[in-house]
Amino acid sequence: MEKEVVISIKGVQKYEGTAPDTMELVTKGRLSRVGESYTLSYQESELTGLEGTLTTIQVDGGQVTLMRVGEFNSQLVFQEGRRHLSMYNTPYGAMSIGVNTRHLMASLTDQGGDIEVDYTIEVDHALAGRNVFRINVKESESGLGSLKQ
């Protein structure tokens, strides 16, 4: 199963000593399912500062993996109550970051659904901030059927 969807993303970043930074984005994307796993993908825009980057979110049981491929390459793994280390590649170099997932909810079906992740980020073992993102996925009006590759 693969179809066009509308993806609504709301993200809040909180850093020590600064006001929370909120970002909202509505974009077209693709939702696909293989077995019990769902994959959501969309192209980033200049609004997010990641123009030319493909973002893919894989939902597999109690684990959500966010991958970005483009000028900024990264892979973040979210599992509630677990800490994962990953590399974050930027045009200025790579850095090691730790992701500690405080809360994870992922409920996707062939018709869409919701993902919510609340996590903290560590850069070089120092707490850098707390992030929360909520993603809502709905079938696209034009994409009620499957897409052909």
Side-chain angles (χ1 to χ4, degrees), residues 7 17 34 42 59 69 81 91-92 94 98 100 109 111 116 130 134 136-138 140 145:
I7 304 166
V34 176
Y42 62 94
V59 177
V69 177
Y92 313 105
N100 188 5
T109 68
Q111 288 70 47
E116 184 174 304
R130 180 175 172 189
R134 293 178 181 89
N136 175 263
V137 182
K138 293 181 186 158
S140 172

Side-chain angles (χ1 to χ4, degrees), residues 74-85:
S74 64
Q75 177 173 315
L76 303 177
V77 178
F78 305 101
Q79 271 184 296
E80 190 166 315
R82 300 257 336 251
R83 181 176 176 266
H84 288 272
L85 287 175

